[in-house]
Amino acid sequence: QVQLVESGGGKVQTGGSLRLSCAASGLTFSSYVMGWFRQDPGKTREFVAAISASGSSTSYADSVKGRFTLSRDNANNTVYLRMNSLKPEATAVYYCAASTRWGTRSLSNYNYWGQGTQVTVSS
């Protein structure tokens, strides 16, 4: 059974930083593209960032480019999202997801999802 478990969310002030983690089990982690998405209540879930299976390539939404950094540790089946210079509009539930396809930001191309971790940025 595939499990993706996010952690590291919390409350932070504008300009602060957080590091989210996603621990995966039940899948060949090094074969999967890993992505992060976020969703605010009443809004659609949106793409944040993705990293290729090997970790050699990353992709970011324009809204987070230059402030968020995605990395992965294939030996420990974990992916990390470092978020710097956080803004109130980053407040959302952040979801980790796994896909067999690189180059897509579509939710439908992600096979597995975690339960999410709340990030709240206060002004």
Side-chain angles (χ1 to χ4, degrees):
Q1 181 180 356
V2 175
Q3 282 193 314
L4 302 178
V5 180
E6 302 96 335
S7 61
K11 296 181 180 179
V12 65
Q13 291 187 329
T14 297
S17 298
L18 284 173
R19 189 180 79 158
L20 306 183
S21 300
C22 173
S25 60
L27 76 171
T28 305
F29 183 73
S30 60
S31 297
Y32 281 82
V33 172
M34 298 301 296
W36 284 90
F37 293 75
R38 65 188 181 189
Q39 186 171 19
D40 210 10
K43 297 184 179 179
T44 57
R45 192 170 297 188
E46 64 175 8
F47 172 82
V48 175
I51 188 166
S52 63
S54 67
S56 60
S57 298
T58 51
S59 175
Y60 298 94
D62 287 345
S63 58
V64 307
K65 199 172 294 184
R67 298 184 297 112
F68 288 17
T69 303
L70 188 53
S71 61
R72 66 189 296 160
D73 180 351
N74 283 351
N76 290 298
N77 291 2
T78 304
V79 62
Y80 304 98
L81 181 65
R82 177 69 179 182
M83 306 186 295
N84 294 330
S85 302
L86 282 163
K87 304 175 182 180
E89 49 264 41
T91 295
V93 176
Y94 283 70
Y95 297 90
C96 172
S99 173
T100 56
R101 296 181 60 180
W102 173 246
T104 176
R105 299 185 175 189
S106 173
L107 278 70
S108 62
N109 287 318
Y110 281 79
N111 309 91
Y112 304 107
W113 292 84
Q115 293 300 305
T117 184
Q118 176 71 47
V119 170
T120 303
V121 184
S122 60
S123 57

